[in-house]
Amino acid sequence: VMDMKYMVHDYEAMCLSLKSTSRIVLIDMGASLSFHRRDVVPIVHLLNEYKKFGFVFDHIYGFEIKQQDPNEVYNDLLPEEFMSSYHWINVGVNATHGGKLNPLDSILRSFNEDDLVVVKLDVDTTSVEVPLAKQLLNDDSLNKLVDQFYFEHHVFMNEIAPSWGTSMEGSLKDTFDLFSALREKAVAAHFWP
């Protein structure tokens, strides 16, 4: 379930779209670095995949609702290579339009179409995740800023039901419809493990 080899990225197209002033940004909603207790944390794996192709993130905004000692985050969990770009925000996100804790409004809007912006959404709360995903889809002033979108959409799947429990809502068709609509708006949408 946690294998990320299924993801396909067009790194060449991403590279060709960059300008000398482009910033490379990750907005990580659901940024636990200790949740999976594995050798490689999924988000670190993703950062390293981008790094293989020359993409070094200037800003990484990590929102996580589960309280964690910042000393543990920065000293034990976060690889040193990401220290200069990492912003640990130890609060949950919400889907309130215009709200400070809605990163699509409070952070994403400070970037522009020349920047390479990656958004990961995995807060394990359908009532927050789905409205944020729909905001990204329906607000063209936002979706034109996002290049890559990773989403753990909690839909009904027997294979994952023991882990997701009551957070499941909707079907895989809903996910495919969402991702297809985002891709039509030039947002590469991916399943997040």
Side-chain angles (χ1 to χ4, degrees), residues 4-5 21 41 43 46 48 86 96 102 152 160-161 164 170:
M4 297 173 63
K5 292 179 184 152
T21 57
V41 176
I43 196 64
L46 186 68
N48 286 328
Y86 200 78
T96 303
N102 178 335
E152 184 178 77
I160 201 80
W164 285 355

Side-chain angles (χ1 to χ4, degrees), residues 86-101:
Y86 200 78
H87 311 278
W88 176 248
I89 306 163
N90 205 179
V91 296
V93 300
N94 66 48
T96 303
H97 288 270
K100 280 195 220 178
L101 296 179

